Amino acid sequence: MEFKWTDDVSDKVYKDAIHIRKEVFVKEQQVDPSLEIDELEDQTLHLVGYINSVPSATARIYEKAPHLFKIQRVAVVSSARKTGTGKKLMTELERYIRTQNAEIMILDSQDQAIPFYEKSGFSMEGDGFMDAGIPHHRMTKRI
């Protein structure tokens, strides 16, 4: 898997990230498109994983505070699920975040994905909440 990063919303990598997010969140999960693309697009760093040059997984990271990074919009296309692609994506996210002298990573996990994030060392925190009509929990990992 090849990874590419961008913070440029006019870049092809960003466009590939949006394509994956629309496929997974908007089409598959019926998330309202106005909720999927938000005001943080140009304030976040976008990652896309390519399998044989095909955009297959994406996520973005946001530095919420010094040493605190939030992972958002984690998505893997259906054809790449259950192949280790998501694990590789999470490993690459953590690799980069560690280079930024981070102390903690957080994310808001859909409840159905909690076991996936637990395998990457995240722990569930607090009460659940709804986001875009989908049950979520906050998860954290100290690094």
Side-chain angles (χ1 to χ4, degrees):
M1 175 171 287
E2 177 187 12
F3 291 107
K4 295 183 182 178
W5 292 88
T6 190
D7 62 359
D8 180 355
V9 295
S10 67
D11 190 83
K12 182 186 181 321
V13 173
Y14 173 75
K15 289 174 176 39
D16 288 342
I18 293 300
H19 175 77
I20 294 168
R21 287 167 46 189
K22 285 182 177 177
E23 186 67 32
V24 172
F25 298 124
V26 176
K27 288 183 183 172
E28 288 181 27
Q29 298 182 351
Q30 304 297 304
V31 170
D32 185 323
S34 68
L35 298 175
E36 179 52 35
I37 309 301
D38 66 14
E39 72 283 354
L40 296 177
E41 298 299 331
D42 63 355
Q43 300 170 48
T44 51
L45 186 58
H46 303 268
L47 171 64
V48 176
Y50 296 84
I51 299 173
N52 298 322
S53 301
V54 176
S56 301
T58 191
R60 72 181 192 187
I61 56 175
Y62 179 60
E63 187 171 7
K64 287 186 64 89
H67 312 291
L68 172 64
F69 287 80
K70 185 170 186 182
I71 298 171
Q72 303 174 311
R73 305 303 200 270
V74 177
V76 177
V77 297
S78 60
S79 62
R81 292 182 197 144
K82 308 279 189 213
T83 66
T85 297
K87 180 175 176 35
K88 291 175 186 170
L89 182 76
M90 293 304 295
T91 299
E92 175 64 7
L93 288 164
E94 184 171 335
R95 182 205 62 78
Y96 176 81
I97 291 169
R98 283 180 179 275
T99 70
Q100 303 304 299
N101 297 316
E103 295 173 2
I104 191 165
M105 300 184 297
I106 61 173
L107 56 83
D108 295 335
S109 173
Q110 292 181 7
D111 283 3
Q112 55 86 18
I114 289 171
F116 167 76
Y117 293 115
E118 287 176 333
K119 288 177 187 171
S120 291
F122 285 82
S123 300
M124 192 169 53
E125 276 190 0
D127 296 330
F129 58 93
M130 297 297 284
D131 186 7
I134 300 168
H136 283 70
H137 274 82
R138 168 70 43 98
M139 299 191 79
T140 62
K141 181 176 180 178
R142 293 205 164 277
I143 56 173

